């Protein structure tokens, strides 16, 4: 887990031009994630010296929800909207900069959500 910041349910790291955010655990309430991730970005991420604040241009956002057993009953579009709202202003100016959005649900080894954001190019 090299380069991760955060010790709670939300952690993040930079990998080259990409930012990866990991959220442990799942709930069926997509609205739960917006304040959780937003508070992490506000308290933990905004103060990172290597982070330059707002970035211009187009971005790719990949959101993967991993579940164990039966998938939770959650609309992926609502999850994507909540997460985009939470990272807007920290990783890009506005949702209009998201040129490619992938939202995927798949079985995994543990329950978590991973978000990767990187410049389109």
């Amino acid at each position: 887990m090299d380069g991760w910041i955060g010790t709670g349910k939300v952690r993040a790291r930079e990998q080259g031009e990409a930012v990866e955010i990991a959220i442990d655990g799942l709930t069926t309430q997509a609205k739960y994630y917006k304040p959780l991730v937003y508070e992490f970005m506000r308290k933990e991420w905004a103060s990172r010296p290597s982070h330059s604040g707002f970035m211009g241009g187009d971005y790719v956002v990949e959101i993967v929800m991993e579940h164990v057993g039966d998938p939770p009953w959650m609309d992926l579009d609502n999850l994507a909207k909540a997460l985009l709202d939470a990272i807007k202003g920290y990783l890009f100016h506005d949702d209009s900069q998201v040129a490619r959005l992938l939202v995927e649900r798949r079985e995994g080894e543990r329950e978590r959500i991973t978000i990767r954001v990187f410049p389109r190019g």
Side-chain angles (χ1 to χ4, degrees), residues 45-62:
W45 192 258
S47 62
R48 286 184 60 81
S50 62
H51 183 64
S52 60
F54 290 121
M55 298 185 259
D58 285 343
Y59 287 85
V60 175
V61 179
E62 299 173 347

Side-chain angles (χ1 to χ4, degrees), residues 40-86:
F40 171 83
M41 297 303 289
R42 188 177 69 80
K43 291 178 180 174
E44 304 274 347
W45 192 258
S47 62
R48 286 184 60 81
S50 62
H51 183 64
S52 60
F54 290 121
M55 298 185 259
D58 285 343
Y59 287 85
V60 175
V61 179
E62 299 173 347
I63 300 169
V64 178
M65 181 182 73
E66 294 180 75
H67 61 88
V68 176
D70 291 335
W73 194 261
M74 182 192 324
D75 292 337
L76 290 181
D77 61 327
N78 292 336
L79 176 64
K81 183 62 178 155
L83 294 173
L84 288 172
D85 285 348

Side-chain angles (χ1 to χ4, degrees), residues 10-112:
V10 182
R11 298 177 319 282
R13 67 179 173 182
E14 292 181 79
Q15 293 184 301
E17 291 187 324
V19 173
E20 184 176 5
I21 301 168
I23 307 161
D24 291 332
L26 291 178
T27 177
T28 58
Q29 298 297 313
K31 64 184 177 185
Y32 164 83
Y33 295 105
K34 182 177 177 179
L36 181 72
V37 174
Y38 175 80
E39 283 303 304
F40 171 83
M41 297 303 289
R42 188 177 69 80
K43 291 178 180 174
E44 304 274 347
W45 192 258
S47 62
R48 286 184 60 81
S50 62
H51 183 64
S52 60
F54 290 121
M55 298 185 259
D58 285 343
Y59 287 85
V60 175
V61 179
E62 299 173 347
I63 300 169
V64 178
M65 181 182 73
E66 294 180 75
H67 61 88
V68 176
D70 291 335
W73 194 261
M74 182 192 324
D75 292 337
L76 290 181
D77 61 327
N78 292 336
L79 176 64
K81 183 62 178 155
L83 294 173
L84 288 172
D85 285 348
I87 63 176
K88 179 176 59 180
Y90 294 99
L91 302 181
F92 46 80
H93 285 290
D94 190 79
D95 292 348
S96 65
Q97 290 178 274
V98 178
R100 180 171 180 259
L101 175 63
L102 169 72
V103 186
E104 179 181 4
R105 179 182 65 222
R106 66 176 177 221
E107 199 160 344
E109 294 179 10
R110 61 181 155 164
E111 295 189 333
R112 71 177 162 197

